[in-house]
Each structure stands twice: as C-alpha cells, then as structure tokens.
Amino acid sequence: MLKLHELQKKLVAEGNLPFLIRERSNLFYLLGFRGSAGLLLVFPEEAIFICDGRYSVQAREEVPQEITVKEYREKPLLLINELLKERGQKTLLVEESLPIGMVKKLEEQGISVNVAPPFLASLRSRKSDAELAKILKAVEISEQAFLETLPLLKVGVRERDIALELDYKMRLGGAEELAFPTIVAFGERSALPHASPGKWALKEGDWVLIDWGARVEGYCADMTRTLCFGASDTQFEELFEAVFEAQKRAQAILTEGVEAGKVDEAARSLLKEKGWGEYFVHGLGHGVGVEVHEEPRLAPQSEVVLKSGMVLTIEPGVYLPGKGGIRLENLFFLDKENLRKLNNLPERI
C-alpha cells in the first residue's frame, strides 16, 4: 500500500484529480495483481479496482483488503463514469497508453480526459529494499543457469538448443518465468542486437552473444555476455577490450545527480575514439524492475537526472555486419554511498 499512498500524494499535488490505470505492469506494481486485465481508479483518498467475473476471485485474493473491488458485467467505462459522478469529478487522468477508443468513449460520457504526468515511471524507477532483494534473486538464478548451460557450447549445437536449455535451467532454478525472450546468436548473427535464436549451428571461432534474464516474484534480471568459441581472433580481442573499457568508463561516472545522457556519452565517446562509434547502434542502458525495460533510459541527449535507488544496465556494444557483435551488459544499483554491481559473472567468459 505504500506505493499507492505515494501515488495518491502526487494526485493531491496535481489538483486532487482521479487517475485511471490499466497497464498490467502498473497494476502489479501498485497492487500485486497478476491477472491479465483490470482497471484501477485511484482517488487521492481511496482506490477502486474494477474487473470482470474472470478475475473477481483472484482480485480479492491478491489486491490489498483496503482496496474496494467492483465487478462489472458489460461496460466498465459506464461504471467508471458512475464512480466519478458520485464523487463530483468530471476530469480524469489516464495513462498515455490508454487506447484511443476508450478515451473517446469516456469523452462521449462528458468526462474530460488528460494524460497523467509520469507519476508511476518516477516511482517505479527507484527500488525499495524488498524490490532490490527480488532482483538480486533473479540475478542469482540467471547466473547459475548460465554457468550450467555454458558446457553445452560445442561444435554443431544450435542457437535454439542453447536458448531452450538456458530457459529450462532458469525455470528449474526458481524463475517464475523469463524476463524476456532469451537471445543466443552465433557467428555473424551476433551482429544482430536482438537476434532470435534459430537453427544456426556453432562453428569453431564463432563469436557467441547471449542475453538472458529470469523473473522472480515479478522482478527482472538482465545481462549479456559475449565470448569467442575456440581460439579468439585479433579483431575479437580488440573489440572486446574496447567494449569493456567503454563499460568501465560509463561505470566510473554513474553517480547520483549525473544526467543519463552524460553516462551514455562517456561510453560512446570511448568507442568513437577507438574507431567503432558508428557500430554502437543503441542506447547505453535502461532501468530494470517490474519490466525489463523501464525508466530511466541511458541514451544520447537524455537529460534525466539519475537518483539513488535506481537499478540500471550498462550495456555498450559494437556490431559489425557480416562479422559479429560484442555486447557486455551488467546490472547496477545506484545509492547515495556508492555504485553496486549486482551480477557476479566476470566479463570475460
């Protein structure tokens, strides 16, 4: 309930307006509700969870008892309108992602609909001790599964075989599900930052990129390692050292109060100096929590000021079409005292 109370304080500051929440990740974050559909209508001093008959029992089991649960039969937006009228409200804040069709139906009922400020993105970006503990458990399970899968890398094994085995071992180790679809890419396919594992077989000298993470009690892990199978070539060693140095340079300035864009630039400028800047084709990192990609984003020109309590990835990469790619991704917790690396695997595997 603490998270919900923090949100309600923000609503008071916003003029005591009610806020309609539909995103599954936000419903889980605020209530612990794991169903696939529901609506949370938050007023400054109360909150009402709205669902259909499929979820009414589940909602009463998962949603805190202080929250009123209302079941609708046909049209939830009519119920929302009634609840607003009962409280003398004509204006409603909504998530930016609310479908335009729902917005129109609300407006047809005489409700003024405004997109809410990023209340929840701000709250979710800073993790409590309990949230951090869940992320750490997800990291532990992910790393153990990786170590158990690594010996299976042999000539002829397919990308999808390694991905399936890694997924299985994460589940076996205690993951409730995957944080995201596991990426395993061999050889020149490692130059695809988000490659889908396929039938491609491992060959001697291939670069191997693996990006994976477990989800535990609703919270994610995310990490990437790249290795050269067999004897490494000169270009792999050169690129690996450049990416590793970029990782360390960004890590050195990742402190409370720094702008996210400056952390990105620290790594990006190093790769430019080495002549690989044009092959770093994505942002440096992102927040991790209930979703594997959350605010803040460590990206060029981002002016977001980093704060204590954030869990962030740093993941510089260089991707050479026709040859291969190298990405190193670590997970960090930012607090007032220092920067804490959450994963324990060495960068060089």
Side-chain angles (χ1 to χ4, degrees):
M1 288 293 291
L2 180 60
K3 298 167 184 175
L4 183 59
H5 292 158
E6 288 298 316
L7 173 60
Q8 289 173 317
K9 289 178 185 178
K10 293 180 179 293
L11 294 180
V12 171
E14 197 65 23
N16 292 307
L17 293 176
F19 183 14
L20 181 64
I21 298 167
R22 179 176 178 267
E23 285 287 339
R24 289 179 62 185
S25 59
N26 286 332
L27 294 177
F28 172 76
Y29 175 77
L30 291 169
L31 305 177
F33 178 70
R34 291 176 176 268
S36 62
L39 296 165
L40 179 62
L41 186 56
V42 183
F43 296 91
E45 295 187 0
E46 66 173 320
I48 301 167
F49 184 73
I50 300 167
C51 63
D52 62 37
R54 296 172 299 167
Y55 297 109
S56 57
V57 173
Q58 181 179 349
R60 290 181 172 90
E61 292 176 347
E62 295 179 345
V63 173
Q65 292 183 354
E66 299 91 330
I67 307 298
T68 301
V69 175
K70 287 186 175 289
E71 181 182 330
Y72 70 87
R73 293 297 179 181
E74 294 181 357
K75 298 181 179 180
L77 299 187
L78 289 178
L79 176 56
I80 289 169
N81 189 26
E82 292 174 7
L83 294 169
L84 292 175
K85 283 183 176 180
E86 288 172 1
R87 290 154 182 79
Q89 294 283 1
K90 295 182 179 180
T91 301
L92 181 64
L93 298 176
V94 300
E95 296 163 314
E96 188 175 13
S97 60
L98 190 71
I100 188 65
M102 293 184 71
V103 172
K104 288 182 177 180
K105 289 178 181 178
L106 288 166
E107 291 176 335
E108 287 170 359
Q109 297 180 81
I111 300 169
S112 177
V113 179
N114 298 326
V115 173
F119 297 136
L120 285 168
S122 176
L123 287 173
R124 283 172 53 175
S125 71
R126 305 178 76 176
K127 274 61 181 181
S128 66
D129 290 345
E131 290 176 296
L132 181 60
K134 294 170 185 177
I135 293 171
L136 282 169
K137 185 62 178 177
V139 167
E140 178 186 344
I141 289 170
S142 301
E143 292 192 323
Q144 183 61 34
F146 179 83
L147 292 173
E148 292 175 5
T149 303
L150 205 56
L152 301 178
L153 287 174
K154 297 177 181 179
V155 171
V157 71
R158 297 172 299 179
E159 293 172 342
R160 66 188 180 199
D161 296 331
I162 296 299
L164 286 169
E165 190 66 28
L166 182 52
D167 294 351
Y168 169 70
K169 290 187 182 300
M170 283 191 282
R171 291 273 197 166
L172 195 64
E176 62 191 18
E177 59 185 8
L178 306 179
F180 56 93
T182 297
I183 297 169
V184 176
F186 297 159
E188 65 183 57
R189 282 177 39 79
S190 62
L192 305 174
H194 287 168
S196 295
K199 62 183 179 181
W200 289 269
L202 184 62
K203 304 186 301 297
E204 191 76 24
D206 272 354
W207 299 5
V208 177
L209 187 150
I210 302 177
D211 188 347
W212 79 108
R215 185 188 299 271
V216 173
E217 295 185 60
Y219 284 80
C220 301
D222 186 10
M223 58 201 78
T224 306
R225 289 294 181 266
T226 309
L227 58 94
C228 188
F229 180 72
S232 62
D233 57 67
T234 302
Q235 190 171 44
F236 179 87
E237 293 297 330
E238 180 183 350
L239 284 181
F240 188 96
E241 287 305 316
V243 171
F244 191 17
E245 190 174 342
Q247 164 83 230
K248 291 185 287 186
R249 183 178 288 191
Q251 181 179 340
I253 71 162
L254 184 56
T255 56
E256 184 175 34
V258 70
E259 289 183 1
K262 291 182 178 178
V263 182
D264 179 279
E265 179 56 26
R268 199 169 300 276
S269 62
L270 184 282
L271 293 175
K272 288 179 181 177
E273 291 168 15
K274 300 288 187 180
W276 306 112
E278 66 179 293
Y279 302 106
F280 181 19
V281 295
H282 53 73
L284 179 66
H286 52 85
V288 175
V290 171
E291 294 179 292
V292 75
H293 292 101
E294 294 191 344
E295 295 298 328
R297 310 289 168 147
L298 303 183
Q301 287 82 52
S302 173
E303 297 179 352
V304 173
V305 176
L306 302 181
K307 299 177 181 179
S308 61
M310 291 180 169
V311 173
L312 304 153
T313 68
I314 297 181
E315 49 183 298
V318 172
Y319 309 91
L320 304 181
K323 177 60 180 180
I326 294 174
R327 179 164 71 250
L328 291 175
E329 180 181 18
N330 287 325
L331 199 55
F332 296 91
F333 177 68
L334 181 61
D335 65 23
K336 292 183 181 294
E337 302 300 325
N338 52 48
L339 183 66
R340 178 182 173 189
K341 183 179 173 185
L342 299 183
N343 50 306
N344 297 301
L345 285 176
E347 282 73 19
R348 183 174 286 278
I349 301 297

